[in-house]
Structures are given as structure tokens and as C-alpha cells.
Amino acid sequence: MSPSAAEADGRRTGARATPSQDAIQDTDQNTDQNKESRTMAAVGEIHHVAVNVTDMEASLRFYRDGLGLRKTLEMPVGNPTTWRTMALPEGTTGKSVFLQGPTRIGQLELLQWDLPVPRDSRPKRAGDPGPCVLSFSISHAEIHEVYQRLQDMGVHCYTEPTTNTLTNYGPVTLFFCDDPDGNQVEVIALPTQEEVRAFRAATMKPDPAGTD
């Protein structure tokens, strides 16, 4: 799925450790290898973890009210592009809520689908309680390269990189694939914060009551 408006612009704080001499030497010895590796397209950090839930309000009480996470985005999910990119039954709908911690690094997405909940299902899929998707962010310039590399490795990808416009957020480009154990992995290229703000300004209807 996808993201919140307040993205990973947070910064960790704290003292920086001084590297040891061995570490410096190891770094010097691997300089050429590191330079070479930086030229290969690669995904970034985990963008968000999606967790299927059976009761959104009960889950919000736990994660938001109990653990203290901050809700940053709420949106409906389920359109023809979502059905195709996630390999969902046509007509599937649901709702999504994103939460973040104080550092704004990494996100938790709660998903409640209108699908029946299987009693026993491995690996996790839409409708199963628990984690179902690992999502990795990537640049728009590199998503097609990574997709092709996975294809060449024989990885099962549900679709080619596809653009999907998300309510209250904007267009994203993404594809889903299976890891060796069948777990769903998403690779996603996101809009900038400025693009998100522009999309919301262009699409959100004014509040008739005049409230936020």
C-alpha cells in the first residue's frame, strides 16, 4: 500500500561513536567495492509494515491510544489498480490507517478488508490478521531497473511497475512480488511532500462547516 504525508524527514539524535582503526582500514580496503555497489539500483529502508486487522477501532485503541503512535493518514482502499497490483479478488474494498512514532522513521499501516478471515492461512494475505506486506521505498528512476532484475532472477511479480492514485495522498508507482517464502513484498516510488501537498490542495473539497 502506501504512505503518510509526514514522511521520513525525522532525524535521529545522539552522540556519534568514533570508528576504530580496524574499521577505518576495512573501509579503505573496500572503497572500490563500495563505489561499484553504489552504482547498482537498490531499494531503501523499509517504508512501512502493513498489518491486517479484524477490528480497526480496537487496533487503533491499542496502537494509537495504548502505544502512543500518531495517526497520520486514513483512506479507503480498493480500486481496479489495487486489485491488479495486489492480486486481489475484483471488488475487494477496505480501509487503511497509517501511524508513526515520534522519529517519523518507518510506519505502521493497519488494513481492514471486507474479505472473510481464514482460520488457517500461510503465508499471510489480504484478510489474514497479522503482517502481510513488507514495503520498500525506491526512487522513480530506479524502480524499473529493480523490477527487471527481479524478473531476470525468476521472482514472481504480480504486475510491472504501475501508477496508482491514492485518496488524500496522490500518485505512487509500485509493484508487488513474492519473496522465497511467498510473503508479499512491495517496491514503491513515492511523491515528494510538496507533490502530496499540491495533490491535496487540488483534490480535497472545502469543509462546508468551515472546520478543519
Side-chain angles (χ1 to χ4, degrees):
M1 303 307 304
S2 352
S4 78
E7 294 266 22
D9 58 349
R11 299 291 184 268
R12 296 187 183 276
T13 59
R16 297 179 59 185
T18 302
S20 66
Q21 189 62 37
D22 288 343
I24 294 173
Q25 291 174 351
D26 289 342
T27 300
D28 292 340
Q29 292 169 359
N30 293 320
T31 297
D32 292 339
Q33 181 179 353
N34 291 340
K35 287 181 179 178
E36 180 180 352
S37 66
R38 283 198 295 271
T39 65
M40 183 180 72
V43 299
E45 297 78 16
I46 291 178
H47 174 259
H48 70 275
V49 174
V51 178
N52 287 325
V53 301
T54 57
D55 186 329
M56 181 63 76
E57 292 306 314
S59 295
L60 282 174
R61 284 193 296 272
F62 176 78
Y63 287 103
R64 181 193 58 198
D65 304 337
L67 297 185
L69 297 178
R70 181 172 59 95
K71 186 171 78 169
T72 59
L73 178 67
E74 184 171 356
M75 61 182 176
V77 292
N79 60 28
T81 304
T82 300
W83 305 333
R84 190 166 70 91
T85 56
M86 291 189 69
L88 293 172
E90 185 173 340
T92 299
T93 59
K95 53 187 174 182
S96 167
V97 174
F98 276 81
L99 304 106
Q100 285 186 329
T103 66
R104 300 183 180 180
I105 298 175
Q107 299 174 90
L108 172 68
E109 180 185 19
L110 303 179
L111 282 165
Q112 184 171 356
W113 302 94
D114 66 353
L115 298 170
V117 180
R119 289 184 176 275
D120 187 16
S121 178
R122 297 292 184 273
K124 301 289 187 180
R125 286 296 184 268
D128 295 353
C132 66
V133 177
L134 289 176
S135 180
F136 297 89
S137 63
I138 193 170
S139 70
H140 287 274
E142 294 181 319
I143 188 170
H144 289 275
E145 180 181 338
V146 170
Y147 166 77
Q148 189 58 55
R149 187 163 71 232
L150 292 174
Q151 287 284 89
D152 293 343
M153 292 169 57
V155 173
H156 171 58
C157 298
Y158 301 167
T159 64
E160 71 286 351
T162 303
T163 298
N164 190 10
T165 300
L166 304 177
T167 304
N168 297 334
Y169 191 74
V172 298
T173 300
L174 73 156
F175 67 89
F176 281 78
C177 59
D178 290 337
D179 76 1
D181 292 309
N183 295 304
Q184 286 185 328
V185 174
E186 176 189 47
V187 178
I188 184 167
L190 303 163
T192 64
Q193 290 188 10
E194 291 73 19
E195 289 169 336
V196 172
R197 294 189 189 101
F199 177 84
R200 289 175 173 171
T203 59
M204 293 184 70
K205 298 178 181 179
D207 185 353
T211 58
D212 291 337

